[in-house]
Amino acid sequence: GTTKDNSGGGTNTGQSNAAADPNAPTKQGVKMAYLPKQLNNPYSDIEVSGGKAALAELKGEYKLVGPNDASASSQVSYINTLIQQQQDVIGIAANDPNAVCPSLNQARSAGIKIVAFDSDAAKDCRDVFINQATTQGIGEGLVKMASDLAGGSGEIAILSATPNATNQNAWIEVAKTTLAKPEYANLKLVKIAYGNDDDQKSFQEAQGLLQSFPNLKVIVAPTTVGIAAAARYVSSSSYKGKIAVTGLGTPNQMRAYVKDGTVKQFALWNPADIGYLAAYAGVALKSGQITGAEGQKFKAGKLGDYTIGANGEIVLGPPTVFDSNNIDKFDF
Amino acid sequence: MFDKAWHRLASWDAAVIVVTVLVVVIASGAVDNFGTGRNFTFLMLDLLPIALVALPMTFIIVTGEIDLSVASTLGLTSAVMGSMWNTGMSIESIIPLCIVLGGVLGALNGFFVTVLKLPSLAVTIGTLALYRGLAFVVLGDNAVADFPRSYTSWVTGTIGVIPNVLVPLLVLALVFGVVLHATPIGRAVFAAGASEQAARFAGVRTGRLKFWLYVVSGAVAGLAGVLWTLRYSSARADNGFGLELAVVAAVLLGGVSIFGGKGTLPGVLAGVVLLATLQNALRLQDVSNEALNVVTGVLLIVSVLLPNIVTRSRAALRRRRKVTS
Amino acid sequence: MSVTKVAAPPQETTRAVGRSVLGTVFKARESGIALALVVLVVFTATQNSRFLSGQSIRDILLGTSILAVLAVGQAIVVITRNIDLSVGSVLGLAAFAVGSLMRDNPGLPVIVALLAGLALGVVCGLLNGALVRFGQVPALVVTLGTLYAFRGVSYLWAGGQQINADKLPASFLQFGTASVLGVPWLVVIAVVVMVVAGVVLRNYPVGRELYAMGSSPQAARLAGIKVGRNTTIAFAVSGALAGLAGVLFAARFGTVDAAAGTGYELNVVAAAVVGGVAVFGGSGSVWGASLGALLLTVIGSALAVLDINQFWQQAIVGGLILLAIGADRLVAVRVAKALKKRDSHV
Amino acid sequence: MGRQEPGRGPLLEVRGVSKSFGAVAAVAGVSFPLYAGEAHAVVGENGAGKSTIVKVLAGVHRPDSGTLVLAGEPVEFGSPAEAKAAGIAVIYQEPTLFPDLSVAENIVMGRHPRRGLGMIDRAAIRAEAERLFARLGVRIDPARPARGLSIADQQIVEIAKALGADARVLVMDEPTAALTVVEVERLFAVARALRDEGAAIMFISHRFEEVTELCQRVTIMRDGRHVSTDPLTDVTVDEMVRRMVGRDLDALFPKQDVEPGAVVLEVDGLSREGVFRDISFSVRAGEIVAFAGLVGSGRSEVVQAVFGVDERDAGVVRVNGRKLRPHSARAAMAAGMALVPEDRRQQGLVMDLSIERNVTLPRSRALSKFGLLVGRGERREALDWTQRLRTKYGRLSDAVGTLSGGNQQKVVLAKWLAMAPKVLIVDEPTRGIDVGTKAEVHRLMSALAAEGVAVLMVSSELPEVLGMADRVLVMREGRIVAEIPRARATEDSVMFAAMGQGAVA
Ligand SMILES: Nc1ncnc2c1ncn2[C@@H]1O[C@H](COP(=O)(O)OP(=O)(O)OP(=O)(O)O)[C@@H](O)[C@H]1O
Ligand SMILES: Nc1ncnc2c1ncn2[C@@H]1O[C@H](COP(=O)(O)OP(=O)(O)OP(=O)(O)O)[C@@H](O)[C@H]1O
Ligand SMILES: [Mg+2]
Ligand SMILES: [Mg+2]
């Protein structure tokens, strides 16, 4: 029979081998559709707003579609619709790296370029991936912030998004290996909770963490929904001042909690820049200036020049750490 | 005049079929990219799980019961399929095991409904939570993705524009249709739904019948779970979340009475196609998901409201005629 | 004649004995849940004493209050042999409506928010009620339809907007956590709702009529009960309470988008069913339903505190629902058997 | 039509009331008066339209034509609530209790006594229930739920409900059907007291002793029409029966004499706790055996247990010497047994299905080819049997619910005759069907017996029992108390056995 061992689960690549022409003219009127994990999520709204701005600069056509639930199967239906509508580029934040793969490959065979952003699809079914920061950088950064807030020792817990979230899981992996290093020997990760990127669920999970672990010092939430919910819970409870909240969040959402002292510091890249960069990468792909191979370069408007890294990854840059001193300089 | 009103009611499903055909024709003309072969493929792939699960659901609703746990059964079989694959079992033995598992989950519903005689709505709300919860227990954080190419590509593959999976669906639909409309079992299903007591007095073993319907419903949901997993090459605990409402909506839209005793399988298939086509066409027109929700809900209510209004206004008319004559 | 006369006296004694047995059996339903609750709390507290800390109890009560308000409304509808699956969507709609109202008019007092939520809920409930009453469409179908439709409306309205805590007036947010005499406002409101509904159902004719309708619709009509009117009232109340719950939700969580309350309907029905409200109407109480809500919330908290894998939570809730309705059925069968034996003249 | 009563007008008058259900004219142009201080009997055969009149008075049905006149004023009741408000209390033929509510609450539903703040006064409710039960001389715990009450107790609660309403007009549709003689006496004492206080009472019963004991005036109905209204002193019981039936009884029951063959059905020691006990009897080929007894004596339960739709606790059923699997209607059918149940609307027919489907439902397996039901087999069979029974219908595909009662009954018969039974059990075979059909049904049963079928009949109509049966088994309180051969079966002997010693005094 066919078993895991002999099925050869990993599959051959669909990478296009056409040569890139860095000097090809930038196409106008490129139709690019954004398919975030889920509509009506403030974080992805900011992301795609950057894409919209970039496409206006590039004289392309911007479009936003997506499901109301963060499920892979509904994304597939939307990819199919986009294929039918003969888009030029699809920018996708994949809910499940593999589930969207067959459809994305169908899109590619129909000549559509795929730019994964924020959350990667499997490598062999997209052209490039816009990574907000290196996984290593984020994972280590999270641990460092937690360590600072905990004073170098004590219990910490992670409040993540969904159990399947690709990014968060990758960052948590890095965080775990980082914690194993001797300089963090006194930090103890007691639990990883999942708020499913649902505000209310995250709120309750934060509540549960504080009840279960009386000695908890820091909640690290590597997701914007989670950190806001955790901060809100702590700020309205008797734990305020005793528990530190940190992680990845948007300045606008977190401003109130930084001001009232619940949150000392947190980090994030500018989400709008991800969408912005994705649009430039998409148009460059469509114009034939790049194909997604390592080492190719393209221009990304106000963000400057970028080089494609290994596996078609394009890294946006290091995240910004926000605290009470600088938070008022940002508005997103 | 009695029989006319009656016929009007009974042919609600015929009306749905006509409306479905109309919608397909109009969409082909008016919606860009709708009438292409590839879109047909996508449409069929999207409606496959709903159509599949709707087949036994039709039987169950015709007997006057309901099964809300189907989507969770789908999710649980998908999760189990993933974890079995991880243990290194062969896919050839996993697939039948998953279908059997679905049957067992259905049997538990059947036990509660027919042996303990509990209301099916309450029972299947309970198992809806239970099975979905167990799916998460089984697979937790993981998504199993590395299913064999030969299988996943068969599920997404086509013969011309006809998806491969349409073949088993059509075969099953034919079998379910024949059983419902042209066999003693079908007769018993209608009788049990229209009047359980009268059916028992005519020698129908209603408890046993319903029990097996739940088993079949579970098994088909298990099959749907397998196909779902292979189609998205992703076994996840949340697969098919919320599908039960879409299935019930399609069945009711197809003219099946929620009180049991009435309905046809062609009508249900038309209901499934109508819902899926509307969604597909409206989405191609860039109508948002949210508007689709409203359309689905309104359609559902109208589908039951309309025949009621028709029969009642006919009855009122008749009364008036009688008084004047 | 002599036969019946001789038979009479022993019959009387058995009846007198039966009464006390019956009394206890009837109270057993809700006390069973209460017992389960106590066992769970005690067990959890022995594992983790923090479970009984002030903050923890406050959190549980706050969590329960929203679910309990919904469960009270659901119980009222289910008692009349109907069901309201649209409550989650009504909650979402009301939460967003009230959230944007408060955001745009920061000066409004909280009471306006509450009234606005109630009013919106009543409108939704009346729509359900009218469809059930005049359209003669089964409640399950109507409210399944409006579950989609109301949710769709809130998405259409909200789009991608999210109303964040920093946009809401502080007075409104405080209302979500503040207390009077140490009891959070939300809990006060939930208790008031529960007591009012409980007293009306138990002590006012209209309440008794709702039970009668659920117990036997035909008999209700023959007894001169205005079945149509009462059905509409039940749906309107359920809608109103869902609207109110929406306001509480917005105040408590501070962040509202169009998805608020998605999937709540199953929790609410589960709370009512677990609390002993019979799905086929005619029996159960709002106390039971509220206890069911409390039990479900405590289970959630306890599983978190006991550090049980959160994935088990849903499975345990499902198993509990089955257990509750199964036990309910067994009690009912027992009672029926006991009554039959007692009355048999053979 | 009734005789003019000089000096005072009627409290409530029914004037030319007609009511049809589809093609069935249940009541056609009926008029009679109800006087204050008088008990008025309405008698007629099953299906004569008595209950329909009751429901018109109760505001359940709106008459198609005709009016009700209350104290000289024409009234129109749009709902039961309005009739109630006008002072009309009704005891329906079928008990209409709320099983989940307490007995006391059932009694006061719709008119709860109140105390402060408009709240229900529970103590008063309980006191009222106890007062009413005391008046009726029964002991029922007011706090217990109505679920599980015996039919007799249910009926008593219904009576208490009506008495508690303090009505000007008290309408009682067969209130005594399930009661024992003692309880009937108490009821009558209360009714007389109410009557003497000036209430008008309408009383329906199939027992003439009761009618003569309580009432002063009698209206006779036949086939939905008014036959006569007279003071009871002016008519004899024989005269009433003659007017009710409208023709000679003997002509109605053309029982052929058949020499009984071997024993086909044998029932031994059948028991079901709380319902019937130790039932043993046998039926021979060609024989018609009748079960007689009061309503609620357990006859229907016995035949349902014999057929296997109900469970039984003990006992054996044999057909042609072979034991039947208990609680399996299918096994009984396979052995050649057929049951025409008493309640055709609930048990006999699937109202929403077509005539054709109903007729062939028990035989769908036999009619299928390779498991499939295709072709015209079903239709041919349905056509054959409905025609043999001279059933009137539009099309075979019409829902059976659209047929008149008598034709529905024929469909039930067709359904079971189509399987050519060896044992035919008929429970109240002529309930609610018209006189002509009744004769046809009797002819048919007689003919089947002549062909060698063993027929077991349950009937509450004494003339039917006396006219058709070769042997009468009388049941009382769940037991067979007498076996009376045709030669000795008389109204007196059967009633005597059915009511128990001393009852027929
Ligand atoms: N709701 C209904 N729909 C159709 N037909 C009906 C309905 N109610 C009564 N009938 C028919 O009307 C006729 C008169 O019925 P009704 O109940 O008034 O008889 P009845 O005199 O009370 O008989 P019984 O002595 O058996 O109680 C019957 O043929 C019955 O089948
Ligand atoms: N719903 C019920 N709940 C409790 N007891 C019942 C119920 N129905 C019937 N019984 C009891 O079963 C016994 C037999 O009733 P059954 O209807 O079989 O009598 P029957 O002789 O066939 O009368 P009928 O002429 O009404 O058919 C009675 O003692 C009655 O009290
Ligand atoms: Mg009657
Ligand atoms: Mg009977």
Side-chain angles (χ1 to χ4, degrees):
Chain A
T2 316
T3 65
K4 191 180 173 78
D5 300 327
N6 67 14
S7 74
T11 46
N12 59 328
T13 166
Q15 209 86 319
S16 63
N17 290 321
D21 173 11
N23 300 319
T26 301
K27 275 198 184 162
Q28 292 199 350
V30 172
K31 292 193 283 182
M32 176 161 179
Y34 281 82
L35 178 52
K37 287 184 167 187
Q38 161 179 32
L39 285 189
N40 308 329
N41 172 314
Y43 177 77
S44 44
D45 280 0
I46 303 170
E47 281 181 323
V48 295
S49 71
K52 188 173 184 182
L55 283 164
E57 290 172 23
L58 289 160
K59 302 199 171 39
E61 282 178 38
Y62 162 86
K63 171 185 214 141
L64 171 66
V65 295
N68 288 325
D69 55 329
S71 87
S73 49
S74 10
Q75 274 190 325
V76 167
S77 296
Y78 277 98
I79 297 170
N80 290 345
T81 305
L82 295 173
I83 298 175
Q84 280 312 106
Q85 293 176 333
Q86 293 154 6
Q87 297 290 318
D88 295 317
V89 184
I90 295 175
I92 180 172
N95 280 324
D96 180 315
N98 298 296
V100 291
C101 226
S103 293
L104 288 181
N105 274 330
Q106 253 177 316
R108 293 174 79 199
S109 54
I112 301 175
K113 302 294 176 194
I114 308 296
V115 179
F117 66 93
D118 184 32
S119 168
D120 202 0
K123 289 181 196 57
D124 55 327
C125 48
R126 47 85 175 149
D127 293 288
V128 294
F129 170 51
I130 310 294
N131 201 345
Q132 42 274 62
T134 60
T135 305
Q136 196 66 25
I138 294 176
E140 285 169 1
L142 289 173
V143 174
K144 181 164 182 323
M145 285 194 294
S147 173
D148 290 350
L149 292 167
S153 71
E155 292 182 355
I156 64 169
I158 292 178
L159 175 61
S160 182
T162 65
N164 297 332
T166 329
N167 292 334
Q168 273 80 6
N169 286 347
W171 298 330
I172 291 169
E173 266 321 300
V174 172
K176 281 185 188 161
T177 40
T178 311
L179 281 169
K181 290 181 182 166
E183 63 254 49
Y184 297 117
N186 294 329
L187 274 189
K188 187 164 163 245
L189 176 60
V190 290
K191 172 146 183 180
I192 302 169
Y194 299 96
N196 293 345
D197 260 357
D198 174 81
D199 184 76
Q200 199 202 336
K201 178 94 169 98
S202 307
F203 193 89
Q204 283 161 347
E205 284 300 322
Q207 203 171 291
L209 282 177
L210 293 175
Q211 274 176 32
S212 316
F213 304 100
N215 300 321
L216 198 64
K217 283 194 169 163
V218 186
I219 294 179
V220 184
T223 152
T224 58
V225 179
I227 191 174
R232 205 168 64 253
Y233 174 68
V234 171
S235 77
S236 69
S237 75
S238 60
Y239 300 112
K240 185 173 167 184
K242 295 177 198 139
I243 299 281
V245 176
T246 188
L248 307 174
T250 69
N252 284 354
Q253 264 185 314
M254 301 304 291
R255 190 162 290 119
Y257 309 114
V258 171
K259 294 262 157 85
D260 77 4
T262 311
V263 176
K264 297 273 183 311
Q265 56 170 323
F266 65 98
L268 198 67
W269 45 87
N270 185 342
D273 288 349
I274 299 176
Y276 186 91
L277 183 54
Y280 272 89
V283 172
L285 280 166
K286 193 68 200 173
S287 309
Q289 295 160 350
I290 54 173
T291 62
E294 187 171 356
Q296 294 174 338
K297 290 184 196 314
F298 68 102
K299 292 193 198 324
K302 66 174 188 192
L303 295 178
D305 292 356
Y306 278 86
T307 308
I308 299 175
N311 294 324
E313 270 191 36
I314 304 165
V315 177
L316 180 66
T320 312
V321 173
F322 304 96
D323 55 25
S324 56
N325 297 323
N326 70 356
I327 191 159
D328 283 333
K329 293 186 200 137
F330 299 91
D331 180 23
F332 65 85
Chain B
M1 53 196 170
F2 260 114
D3 40 277
K4 256 189 205 153
W6 174 249
H7 269 264
R8 174 57 74 94
L9 229 184
S11 62
W12 170 249
D13 51 283
V16 175
I17 296 174
V18 172
V19 170
T20 308
V21 172
L22 276 180
V23 166
V24 170
V25 169
I26 293 172
S28 310
V31 178
D32 286 345
N33 303 316
F34 178 83
T36 65
R38 182 156 51 194
N39 193 53
F40 174 77
T41 312
F42 292 153
L43 179 61
M44 288 300 136
L45 278 173
D46 276 355
L47 66 75
L48 173 84
I50 295 180
L52 212 50
V53 177
L55 297 176
M57 185 72 88
T58 305
F59 277 62
I60 288 182
I61 296 185
V62 169
T63 61
E65 305 288 346
I66 199 160
D67 183 358
L68 292 180
S69 72
V70 282
S72 298
T73 304
L74 187 157
L76 180 50
T77 37
S78 174
V80 168
M81 183 173 173
S83 67
M84 287 201 284
W85 178 246
N86 271 346
T87 65
M89 286 170 72
S90 78
I91 193 94
E92 289 80 9
S93 52
I94 290 177
I95 290 176
L97 278 177
C98 281
I99 294 171
V100 170
L101 171 70
V104 171
L105 299 176
L108 187 66
N109 283 329
F111 171 79
F112 277 108
V113 174
T114 62
V115 180
L116 298 187
K117 302 202 165 59
L118 297 172
S120 56
L121 180 71
V123 167
T124 56
I125 283 182
T127 50
L128 176 143
L130 179 66
Y131 296 166
R132 182 67 70 189
L134 289 178
F136 277 104
V137 170
V138 167
L139 209 54
D141 331 25
N142 307 312
V144 180
D146 51 354
F147 291 101
R149 223 336 145 50
S150 54
Y151 281 79
T152 55
S153 58
W154 184 84
V155 172
T156 49
T158 58
I159 316 162
V161 296
I162 299 181
N164 295 335
V165 284
L166 201 58
V167 176
L169 172 65
L170 288 180
V171 171
L172 275 179
L174 192 69
V175 170
F176 276 82
V178 168
V179 169
L180 185 62
H181 295 298
T183 66
I185 296 174
R187 299 285 191 267
V189 166
F190 279 103
S195 169
E196 165 133 28
Q197 211 187 353
R200 275 199 315 116
F201 273 78
V204 175
R205 290 173 289 194
T206 53
R208 184 184 296 224
L209 179 72
K210 286 180 183 177
F211 178 83
W212 284 107
L213 288 183
Y214 276 101
V215 173
V216 171
S217 172
V220 171
L223 174 65
V226 168
L227 291 177
W228 184 293
T229 309
L230 292 176
R231 177 183 176 200
Y232 297 111
S233 41
S234 175
R236 296 164 58 120
D238 64 351
N239 275 351
F241 186 81
L243 196 74
E244 68 279 348
L245 294 189
V247 173
V248 172
V251 171
L252 296 181
L253 185 61
V256 176
S257 160
I258 190 75
F259 294 126
K262 280 191 207 107
T264 67
L265 210 76
V268 168
L269 290 177
V272 173
V273 173
L274 179 58
L275 273 185
T277 307
L278 272 179
Q279 296 225 343
N280 179 292
L282 293 178
R283 218 177 250 169
L284 279 172
Q285 293 288 75
D286 286 332
V287 172
S288 63
N289 214 10
E290 30 270 34
L292 290 181
N293 273 342
V294 178
V295 170
T296 310
V298 171
L299 211 61
L300 182 59
I301 294 174
V302 168
S303 73
V304 182
L305 191 59
L306 213 61
N308 274 356
I309 291 175
V310 168
T311 34
R312 268 200 291 166
S313 51
R314 284 183 156 249
L317 243 157
R318 206 163 48 225
R319 223 174 299 130
R320 207 165 306 144
R321 230 181 280 145
K322 200 189 244 170
V323 170
T324 49
S325 70
Chain C
M1 202 179 282
S2 58
V3 175
T4 31
K5 260 184 187 159
V6 172
Q11 215 170 334
E12 281 159 25
T13 49
T14 43
R15 267 182 188 151
V17 172
R19 185 190 300 175
S20 59
V21 174
L22 264 178
T24 38
V25 169
F26 267 89
K27 279 169 199 135
R29 257 194 201 170
E30 278 126 41
S31 53
I33 312 163
L35 189 72
L37 197 59
V38 170
V39 169
L40 185 63
V41 169
V42 168
F43 175 76
T44 314
T46 58
Q47 302 295 305
N48 186 336
S49 59
R50 258 202 166 190
F51 188 63
L52 286 182
S53 71
Q55 179 66 36
S56 163
I57 290 175
R58 220 175 81 101
D59 288 337
I60 289 176
L61 289 180
L62 283 174
T64 304
S65 54
I66 294 173
L67 191 58
V69 167
L70 290 168
V72 166
Q74 190 69 247
I76 291 173
V77 173
V78 172
I79 280 170
T80 65
R81 207 180 269 198
N82 283 296
I83 195 163
D84 186 354
L85 294 180
S86 71
V87 285
S89 300
V90 174
L91 181 150
L93 194 56
F96 189 80
V98 170
S100 44
L101 178 76
M102 296 311 279
R103 178 194 55 194
D104 301 340
N105 309 282
L108 284 182
V110 171
I111 184 77
V112 175
L114 291 172
L115 291 178
L118 278 169
L120 185 65
V122 166
V123 171
C124 295
L126 283 177
L127 183 65
N128 283 331
L131 283 167
V132 171
R133 177 182 178 181
F134 298 111
Q136 312 234 307
V137 183
L140 180 75
V141 178
V142 167
T143 56
L144 186 60
T146 51
L147 167 112
Y148 281 117
F150 293 155
R151 179 67 63 194
V153 168
S154 42
Y155 272 122
L156 282 178
W157 181 10
Q161 281 184 70
Q162 187 175 40
I163 300 172
N164 287 319
D166 60 338
K167 302 271 173 49
L168 289 172
S171 61
F172 185 61
L173 290 176
Q174 258 163 30
F175 165 70
T177 45
S179 311
V180 267
L181 305 173
V183 184
W185 269 110
L186 262 57
V187 178
V188 172
I189 288 179
V191 169
V192 167
V193 164
M194 199 169 76
V195 169
V196 170
V199 167
V200 170
L201 279 183
R202 199 181 132 75
N203 290 327
Y204 282 84
V206 67
R208 305 316 297 169
E209 288 180 9
L210 295 182
Y211 280 98
M213 286 160 53
S215 193
S216 170
Q218 307 98 299
R221 212 159 277 125
L222 292 180
I225 293 171
K226 295 191 172 109
V227 174
R229 185 201 65 178
N230 288 355
T231 306
T232 315
I233 290 178
F235 276 101
V237 169
S238 169
L241 292 181
L244 176 65
V247 183
L248 304 188
F249 184 99
R252 164 106 174 105
F253 295 108
T255 305
V256 189
D257 59 20
T262 302
Y264 252 49
E265 54 281 347
L266 292 186
N267 283 337
V268 176
V269 173
V273 169
V274 167
V277 179
V279 205
F280 284 154
S283 74
S285 68
V286 295
W287 318 114
S290 311
L291 264 180
L294 181 61
L295 184 62
L296 289 189
T297 315
V298 169
I299 289 174
S301 293
L303 292 179
V305 167
L306 293 174
D307 205 16
I308 289 174
N309 185 336
Q310 62 150 335
F311 295 136
W312 273 101
Q313 184 168 329
Q314 204 179 6
I316 290 177
V317 170
L320 205 94
I321 295 174
L322 292 177
L323 210 69
I325 54 177
D328 192 41
R329 169 81 193 170
L330 285 184
V331 170
V333 168
R334 282 262 173 87
V335 171
K337 238 183 206 158
L339 289 172
K340 199 160 192 181
K341 225 170 246 174
R342 214 150 45 73
D343 285 321
S344 69
H345 303 286
V346 181
Chain D
M1 251 191 226
R3 285 183 0 174
Q4 262 334 101
E5 192 70 13
R8 61 191 172 122
L11 179 53
L12 177 66
E13 197 180 352
V14 177
R15 270 198 204 150
V17 164
S18 299
K19 176 76 194 172
S20 308
F21 299 101
V24 181
V27 172
V30 169
S31 310
F32 61 86
L34 294 179
Y35 292 99
E38 196 178 274
H40 190 126
V42 176
V43 296
E45 290 193 293
N46 286 130
K50 307 180 294 292
S51 298
T52 306
I53 290 278
V54 169
K55 286 182 182 160
V56 167
L57 290 177
V60 176
H61 292 322
R62 246 181 237 250
D64 295 337
S65 63
T67 47
L68 303 179
V69 182
L70 184 64
E73 297 287 320
V75 286
E76 210 173 293
F77 299 138
S79 70
E82 291 172 25
K84 241 176 145 173
I88 299 179
V90 178
I91 301 170
Y92 296 95
Q93 190 170 7
E94 313 295 338
T96 53
L97 299 180
F98 304 107
D100 300 291
L101 301 187
S102 72
V103 164
E105 192 146 24
N106 265 287
I107 291 174
V108 299
M109 183 54 69
R111 49 172 190 87
H112 286 95
R114 313 278 195 102
R115 58 190 168 96
L117 300 172
M119 280 203 223
I120 292 170
D121 186 345
R122 276 172 199 280
I125 292 177
R126 194 185 165 92
E128 172 161 359
E130 274 168 353
R131 183 174 57 78
L132 288 167
F133 287 147
R135 214 169 146 192
L136 287 169
V138 293
R139 289 286 209 103
I140 298 177
D141 177 8
R144 64 158 290 164
R147 188 186 301 286
L149 282 177
S150 70
I151 298 284
D153 286 349
Q154 287 183 35
Q155 198 58 263
I156 286 169
V157 176
E158 286 288 345
I159 292 168
K161 210 159 110 178
L163 293 182
D166 282 332
R168 289 193 284 176
V169 180
L170 176 60
V171 179
M172 302 192 279
D173 193 353
E174 304 199 25
T176 56
L179 302 188
T180 61
V181 183
V182 187
E183 286 150 344
V184 171
E185 266 317 311
R186 296 280 178 97
L187 171 63
F188 282 5
V190 176
R192 280 192 205 101
L194 284 177
R195 185 190 67 194
D196 297 342
E197 285 162 20
I201 291 176
M202 175 171 156
F203 179 75
I204 296 175
S205 174
H206 289 295
R207 301 182 193 160
F208 290 104
E209 323 83 72
E210 291 175 2
V211 168
T212 42
E213 195 184 333
L214 180 69
C215 300
Q216 286 73 53
R217 203 177 295 268
V218 60
T219 290
I220 297 170
M221 290 181 67
R222 186 170 70 229
D223 294 343
R225 294 177 190 282
H226 179 266
V227 176
S228 66
T229 300
D230 301 283
L232 256 166
T233 45
D234 293 3
V235 281
T236 62
V237 169
D238 283 345
E239 178 62 17
M240 279 194 269
V241 172
R242 207 190 53 73
R243 286 189 197 166
M244 262 171 64
V245 178
R247 62 183 98 167
D248 239 354
L249 273 183
D250 284 340
L252 269 179
F253 305 109
K255 169 77 173 86
Q256 296 166 264
D257 273 327
V258 182
E259 196 56 44
V263 170
V264 180
L265 173 69
E266 223 183 326
V267 175
D268 196 15
L270 210 63
S271 290
R272 186 172 170 202
E273 199 180 320
V275 185
F276 52 81
R277 189 185 285 180
D278 207 12
I279 303 289
S280 305
F281 64 92
S282 61
V283 186
R284 294 165 177 278
E287 199 180 25
I288 299 182
V289 173
F291 262 120
L294 297 184
V295 169
S297 56
R299 298 159 300 167
S300 298
E301 259 86 353
V302 167
V303 294
Q304 284 171 21
V306 168
F307 185 63
V309 281
D310 279 358
E311 283 176 80
R312 58 191 195 229
D313 299 332
V316 182
V317 176
R318 289 195 189 80
V319 174
N320 285 331
R322 205 169 306 144
K323 256 196 208 175
L324 287 189
R325 190 147 48 93
H327 197 35
S328 168
R330 207 168 263 232
M333 284 161 62
M337 196 188 291
L339 169 68
V340 175
E342 68 176 327
D343 182 349
R344 64 167 176 266
R345 299 189 76 87
Q346 299 290 327
Q347 305 169 330
L349 295 170
V350 183
M351 286 295 160
D352 286 345
L353 290 191
S354 66
I355 300 166
E356 178 183 335
R357 291 287 153 82
N358 268 290
V359 172
T360 57
L361 184 61
R363 289 199 8 99
S364 55
R365 222 159 266 271
L367 290 172
S368 62
K369 291 200 186 80
F370 311 110
L372 292 185
L373 286 164
V374 282
R376 318 209 122 258
E378 279 180 293
R379 174 140 302 189
R380 214 178 304 123
E381 176 128 340
L383 201 60
D384 182 22
W385 275 99
T386 47
Q387 278 179 353
R388 278 169 75 170
L389 293 173
R390 276 172 275 165
T391 316
K392 290 193 201 76
Y393 55 82
R395 270 183 306 219
L396 276 177
S397 54
D398 292 346
V400 80
T402 62
L403 298 186
S404 79
N407 283 306
Q408 286 178 7
Q409 189 70 23
K410 286 185 185 174
V411 174
V412 187
L413 284 167
K415 161 174 160 179
W416 291 109
L417 295 184
M419 63 172 274
K422 291 188 220 120
V423 181
L424 177 67
I425 307 177
V426 287
D427 194 351
E428 308 285 2
T430 58
R431 178 178 279 178
I433 66 176
D434 62 66
V435 185
T437 312
K438 195 182 272 185
E440 262 179 65
V441 170
H442 290 150
R443 205 172 300 130
L444 197 80
M445 280 167 53
S446 190
L448 282 169
E451 285 168 26
V453 175
V455 179
L456 178 61
M457 176 177 84
V458 176
S459 177
S460 298
E461 278 185 62
L462 263 188
E464 182 169 80
V465 169
L466 300 179
M468 296 296 296
D470 292 310
R471 224 162 7 114
V472 182
L473 301 172
V474 184
M475 277 191 76
R476 172 158 47 91
E477 291 175 359
R479 295 170 203 257
I480 296 183
V481 290
E483 177 170 346
I484 308 172
R486 185 181 178 86
R488 280 194 284 123
T490 62
E491 204 155 306
D492 274 354
S493 64
V494 173
M495 282 319 282
F496 184 83
M499 297 197 157
Q501 292 164 313
V504 195

